[in-house]
Amino acid sequence: MPLQLMLHLDLHGRNAAAQARRAARSHLSGTAEGDEECLPPLALDTALLLISELVTNAVRHTSGGCMLEVCLVSDGIDIEVSDTSSAEPQARRPDRRGEGGWGWHLVNRLGTDVGIRHHAAGGKTIHVRVPC
């Protein structure tokens, strides 16, 4: 798959994760169209799950919204979520009753090249790649 255009999306509010999933699905489906190697459904589903987790946490745990960037690259899907907080995500014990705690574990288990870049002006960007 050749390098494709990147999706940039500013997100705010409680519908941010749903907006992010819709836009990412449309973008990734559109960039993979016509390619001799179609985007594997498992890679797409995994990317949408991780996008949802990262955007939800950014909106829930920071003041202000976040920026989502998604790019289909030769060996996977690069996802970056930037927000206004310099605090790094903390893994916590998942709550089996549905009270959360699964997101950071999912990002690190399902993604590769997970990294956090801090910005001089404050805030951070979390990067993860979903391999195809």
Side-chain angles (χ1 to χ4, degrees), residues 1 4 43 70 75 117-118 120 131:
M1 283 181 247
Q4 300 292 327
V70 179
D75 60 345
R117 291 189 318 271
H118 292 275

Side-chain angles (χ1 to χ4, degrees), residues 8-20:
H8 295 273
L9 192 60
D10 285 313
L11 298 158
H12 302 274
R14 60 179 221 227
N15 294 324
Q19 292 171 349

Side-chain angles (χ1 to χ4, degrees), residues 36-126:
E36 62 280 350
E37 294 179 35
C38 187
L39 183 62
L42 181 59
L44 177 60
D45 289 345
T46 301
L48 296 175
L49 174 63
L50 298 186
I51 287 167
S52 185
E53 290 294 336
L54 290 170
V55 168
T56 296
N57 286 340
V59 171
R60 180 179 293 160
H61 298 293
T62 67
S63 61
C66 65
M67 163 80 89
L68 169 68
E69 294 184 341
V70 179
C71 187
L72 186 61
V73 294
S74 62
D75 60 345
I77 303 164
D78 279 344
I79 301 164
E80 292 194 340
V81 176
S82 301
D83 63 46
T84 58
S85 172
S86 295
E88 294 193 7
Q90 298 296 312
R92 60 185 177 110
R93 175 180 233 137
D95 186 321
R96 296 182 190 272
R97 297 171 301 196
E99 297 297 320
W102 298 96
W104 194 235
H105 294 288
L106 287 170
V107 169
N108 284 282
R109 186 65 91 124
L110 299 176
T112 63
D113 301 330
V114 177
I116 301 170
R117 291 189 318 271
H118 292 275
H119 305 287
K124 68 182 171 301
T125 298
I126 297 176

